[in-house]
Amino acid sequence: MLDSPARKLFFILFYYKAYPTQDLMGLLFGITQGQVSDWVGRLSALVGQLLPLHKPARKVRELRELVAREPSLRELIIDGTGRRVPRPAHAGRQRRYYSGRKKRHAVKNVLVTGGGQVRWCSRTAPARVHDKTLAGREKLRLPRGVTLLGDRGFAGLEAGEADLITPWKKPRGRRLHQKRRAFNRLLSRERIAIEHTLASVKRLRILREDFRNRRPGMVDAVMEFGCTLHNFRWSCRQQAAAA
């Protein structure tokens, strides 16, 4: 039974991390499947408030304020990440949520990282929306002096006064110049940091498997919590290293 705050916290963290079926969760915690569904909804609304200082910005205005407060934060990396969802029954939703690149139905977010942490996370959108389009809808405008590193998909993104750097594109029918290939390799080495961050965010199994929970807003809330948990772990490691 969930008769203490510690057990409730363990319940929701175990659900996010292992992502078992609700029937199995009920068997493990001695409650019914309906009670599991109710507790998941209630605790998900609370768990995100436990680590308020480590939440990523969800609005571009908050990201600009964060950059202004941290003068050392002058290099940011942007990338998109997808999560699988079950095939929708409605034909229109099937088209919106189908990713032609990944050949599956999914949702996606665009993340901006810097200094090892997730600094900004876009709203969750259907996979059919291109990463650049999603970032453009959010009006990602950054101040002068900031360098934003992106992949080819973000070429031409309106990033305000920030310097956007993306790889050189290979000309049709010709090889890319050696110097530009070398530049692309250097850029990839810098951008690998966001791949490591995304891998850490998706340590939660709920962010890797088909998302089964149909509660409104849940698909976005779990992504925010995954980013928050990553930022909290990163902060703890930095404190331990400094001790």
Side-chain angles (χ1 to χ4, degrees):
M1 294 293 295
L2 305 182
D3 52 3
S4 68
R7 287 184 64 84
K8 293 174 183 177
L9 180 60
F10 177 74
F11 170 88
I12 193 63
L13 291 179
F14 179 78
Y15 177 75
Y16 284 169
K17 175 63 177 178
Y19 201 39
T21 62
Q22 292 186 357
D23 290 332
L24 179 56
M25 284 288 290
L27 180 63
L28 293 173
F29 288 88
I31 55 180
T32 66
Q33 183 273 329
Q35 289 174 317
V36 170
S37 178
D38 181 58
W39 276 114
V40 166
R42 291 163 62 183
L43 294 176
S44 294
L46 297 175
V47 71
Q49 303 175 15
L50 298 178
L51 305 170
L53 297 178
H54 301 282
K55 281 187 176 183
R58 300 308 304 271
K59 298 179 180 179
V60 176
R61 172 178 52 81
E62 297 172 352
L63 177 60
R64 288 196 295 264
E65 293 173 354
L66 176 63
V67 171
R69 290 197 307 268
E70 298 188 26
S72 61
L73 196 63
R74 287 296 175 263
E75 182 176 281
L76 301 174
I77 310 174
I78 185 171
D79 202 0
T81 182
R83 291 173 285 147
R84 296 178 299 179
V85 295
R87 182 174 183 266
H90 190 273
R93 289 177 62 86
Q94 288 179 25
R95 289 190 294 271
R96 290 199 305 275
Y97 285 85
Y98 185 75
S99 171
R101 182 169 173 241
K102 299 293 185 178
K103 309 300 182 186
R104 66 191 185 202
H105 294 87
V107 293
K108 68 167 52 177
N109 299 84
V110 171
L111 273 61
V112 172
T113 65
Q117 298 187 70
V118 179
R119 304 295 183 166
W120 176 77
C121 177
S122 74
R123 290 170 290 185
T124 303
R128 191 179 180 88
V129 180
H130 193 275
D131 294 348
K132 177 183 172 183
T133 303
L134 180 55
R137 287 179 181 176
E138 299 282 351
K139 294 182 172 56
L140 189 63
R141 307 291 189 267
L142 299 175
R144 188 187 303 275
V146 174
T147 300
L148 186 64
L149 309 181
D151 60 20
R152 290 186 181 91
F154 291 99
L157 174 68
E158 290 291 336
E161 297 181 327
D163 296 320
L164 176 67
I165 300 178
T166 57
W168 288 98
K169 185 177 180 181
K170 177 182 175 296
R172 181 177 297 180
R174 292 185 292 135
R175 294 190 62 186
L176 190 64
H177 191 276
Q178 181 179 357
K179 291 184 178 180
R180 293 184 175 181
R181 292 202 304 270
F183 173 84
N184 287 353
R185 286 194 295 269
L186 289 174
L187 181 58
S188 295
R189 291 173 188 170
E190 289 293 319
R191 292 192 68 258
I192 195 65
I194 197 170
E195 300 297 339
H196 296 158
T197 299
L198 289 174
S200 176
V201 169
K202 291 189 175 182
R203 288 172 66 178
L204 298 179
R205 199 162 183 172
I206 196 172
L207 297 177
R208 297 200 310 269
E209 295 191 353
D210 285 7
F211 190 77
R212 304 184 300 267
N213 195 306
R214 298 182 182 274
R215 190 180 299 272
M218 188 72 172
V219 69
D220 189 70
V222 295
M223 186 63 184
E224 181 182 85
F225 182 72
C227 296
T228 302
L229 198 59
H230 162 77
N231 290 347
F232 176 69
R233 287 195 301 265
W234 181 90
S235 178
C236 290
R237 287 195 296 268
Q238 295 302 307
Q239 293 176 6

